[in-house]
Amino acid sequence: MNNISIKQINLAEANLVVGLFNQYRIFYKQLSDIGMAQAFINERLQNNESIIFVAMDDDQPVAFTQLYPKYSSVRLIKNWILNDLFVNADYRKQGIGEKLIKTAMDFAKKQGSTFVQLETAVDNYTAQSLYEAIGFIKQEEDKEFFLYKIAVNS
């Protein structure tokens, strides 16, 4: 992992993560679609809707994480949702995921945020172990607010 560096990418560098983003979606049982992956990443970056960090092994992208802002009108703050985290299979168990998460946490702290939140599949025990080792705390149901959803397009 000596050659691994982490950097925030901009729209001009979107191609660095498109393949990894496609692999991430496949991991979550979605069909491979490089064109849609490219369009999605480009749109997020073009509209300043997400922050993406990529882990590079020299010139080769090997992992990424994508953060989305979460605003609170009541608390007057912007926190961050660590929505996507993916490490190429050949680079797992080398601390790269942890390095990406800590970079995201440092970014959020510098932004004045109070927390970073994330979700993972209930059967993704490897990720759960990593998150808990870093210090993430599994949340109970919120005592002040309930989460509701309604479908608007079916």
Side-chain angles (χ1 to χ4, degrees), residues 17-37 64 84-87 89 92 121 124:
V17 298
V18 170
L20 292 167
F21 181 68
N22 192 55
Q23 290 176 45
Y24 166 78
R25 294 185 67 253
I26 293 168
F27 178 83
Y28 280 104
K29 302 183 181 18
Q30 301 300 306
L31 294 176
S32 176
D33 191 329
I34 290 289
M36 289 296 288
F64 83 100
D84 309 328
L85 176 68
F86 183 80
V87 179
R92 292 183 185 153
N124 193 343

Side-chain angles (χ1 to χ4, degrees), residues 22-126:
N22 192 55
Q23 290 176 45
Y24 166 78
R25 294 185 67 253
I26 293 168
F27 178 83
Y28 280 104
K29 302 183 181 18
Q30 301 300 306
L31 294 176
S32 176
D33 191 329
I34 290 289
M36 289 296 288
Q38 176 82 55
F40 188 86
I41 293 295
N42 284 351
E43 189 173 338
R44 300 294 74 74
L45 292 171
Q46 186 171 23
N47 295 331
N48 294 313
E49 295 172 340
S50 73
I51 300 295
I52 301 175
F53 293 100
V54 64
M56 303 289 294
D57 183 4
D58 292 325
D59 294 333
Q60 179 72 28
V62 298
F64 83 100
T65 191
Q66 183 165 212
L67 302 161
Y68 293 106
K70 177 180 176 141
Y71 298 96
S72 173
S73 300
V74 173
R75 295 178 184 97
L76 301 174
I77 196 154
K78 176 171 59 174
N79 289 303
W80 295 91
I81 300 169
L82 194 153
N83 201 71
D84 309 328
L85 176 68
F86 183 80
V87 179
N88 179 298
D90 295 338
Y91 286 84
R92 292 183 185 153
K93 305 278 189 208
Q94 297 180 32
I96 298 169
E98 180 176 354
K99 192 171 180 180
L100 277 167
I101 292 168
K102 288 184 175 177
T103 299
M105 291 167 59
D106 288 343
F107 169 82
K109 185 176 181 177
K110 288 175 185 167
Q111 295 285 311
S113 302
T114 56
F115 66 81
V116 171
Q117 74 178 52
L118 55 79
E119 295 180 16
T120 192
V122 295
D123 61 349
N124 193 343
Y125 305 113
T126 302

